[in-house]
Amino acid sequence: MQAISGLWRWRGNPLRRTTDLVESWVALAALLLCLVAAPVIGAFAGAATEDTLQRSVRQQRLSRYAVTATVVEELNQLSPDPDPEISTGRELRHRVLADWTAPDGTRHRGPLGTTLKSPRRGDRFPVWTDRQGHPVMPPLDSATATSHAVLAGLGTAMLTAAAVEGLRRLIVWRLTRRRHARWDRAWERTGGDWGRTGTGS
């Protein structure tokens, strides 16, 4: 609104300088870019991120398998859950020695993390593995991928708007410096005689 009012204020004003008009047009262009271009760029970035993440979700679902592991014994005390996709960062996991069978039929034994509150020998819990039975992180959830894409789109839109505003401020700064330089040159031409007009000196 300030850009529009600025253009209207300077319209036909005899005190208008070229830099005043340029500054108002730059402000209007920046406003339009922030209102139109930034959301469009953000939407494109979000859509591209969504497409990439959903492809990753499909690939992970094809290459990761949920199998059932059986507790052999508890190994140590609680430790934070290392998986940021399924944990709030406060969930604690027990380390246990467990047996499980891989999708290819091979049997495995090794240390695993489990959210069982008090694991005992013979307790069963789910674990994600690859086809050979090596433990892997759970596949990315489709809803989580969408949330990440939305955040990416919003972040891109905000960065675009910030870049436009930064460019506007840079242009205004350059215009202000040019304006001050012109004032300095004008003062150098007339400043020596200031206040002595008509004194005969």
Side-chain angles (χ1 to χ4, degrees), residues 15-91:
L15 298 177
R16 181 191 70 197
R17 295 161 297 194
T18 302
T19 55
D20 296 323
L21 202 56
V22 170
E23 185 175 335
S24 295
W25 277 112
V26 167
L28 180 60
L31 175 65
L32 292 176
L33 286 173
C34 287
L35 293 178
V36 178
V40 170
I41 293 173
F44 276 114
T49 304
E50 168 83 0
D51 183 56
T52 301
L53 289 177
Q54 292 299 341
R55 274 203 310 269
S56 179
V57 167
R58 291 190 293 271
Q59 291 172 354
Q60 289 180 10
R61 286 179 177 172
L62 291 174
S63 62
R64 301 182 185 189
Y65 303 85
V67 300
T68 301
T70 304
V71 176
V72 175
E73 62 177 325
E74 185 175 4
L75 294 179
N76 56 18
Q77 297 180 347
L78 297 173
S79 61
D81 190 334
D83 185 1
E85 297 298 336
I86 63 174
S87 171
T88 61
R90 300 191 186 98
E91 185 176 5

Side-chain angles (χ1 to χ4, degrees), residues 53-175:
L53 289 177
Q54 292 299 341
R55 274 203 310 269
S56 179
V57 167
R58 291 190 293 271
Q59 291 172 354
Q60 289 180 10
R61 286 179 177 172
L62 291 174
S63 62
R64 301 182 185 189
Y65 303 85
V67 300
T68 301
T70 304
V71 176
V72 175
E73 62 177 325
E74 185 175 4
L75 294 179
N76 56 18
Q77 297 180 347
L78 297 173
S79 61
D81 190 334
D83 185 1
E85 297 298 336
I86 63 174
S87 171
T88 61
R90 300 191 186 98
E91 185 176 5
L92 297 177
R93 296 173 68 88
H94 288 270
R95 293 287 291 174
V96 298
L97 182 66
D99 291 327
W100 68 93
T101 302
D104 64 2
T106 58
R107 296 184 61 82
H108 296 264
R109 172 175 288 194
L112 293 174
T114 176
T115 54
L116 293 172
K117 293 187 178 179
S118 54
R120 295 183 180 87
R121 182 180 179 85
D123 287 348
R124 297 163 70 84
F125 62 95
V127 61
W128 288 90
T129 72
D130 59 17
R131 185 162 183 80
Q132 289 73 40
H134 303 116
V136 295
M137 301 296 280
L140 182 65
D141 182 71
S142 181
T144 302
T146 299
S147 299
H148 289 180
V150 170
L151 291 175
L154 289 174
T156 302
M158 292 175 64
L159 285 175
T160 301
V164 169
E165 175 62 13
L167 181 60
R168 184 195 71 81
R169 288 174 181 266
L170 177 62
I171 293 173
V172 169
W173 176 73
R174 294 293 299 273
L175 289 173

Side-chain angles (χ1 to χ4, degrees), residues 181-201:
R182 287 178 180 174
W183 286 347
D184 289 341
R185 288 195 297 271
W187 180 254
E188 287 175 0
R189 289 193 300 268
T190 61
D193 295 329
W194 183 259
R196 293 188 294 175
T197 303
T199 62
S201 57

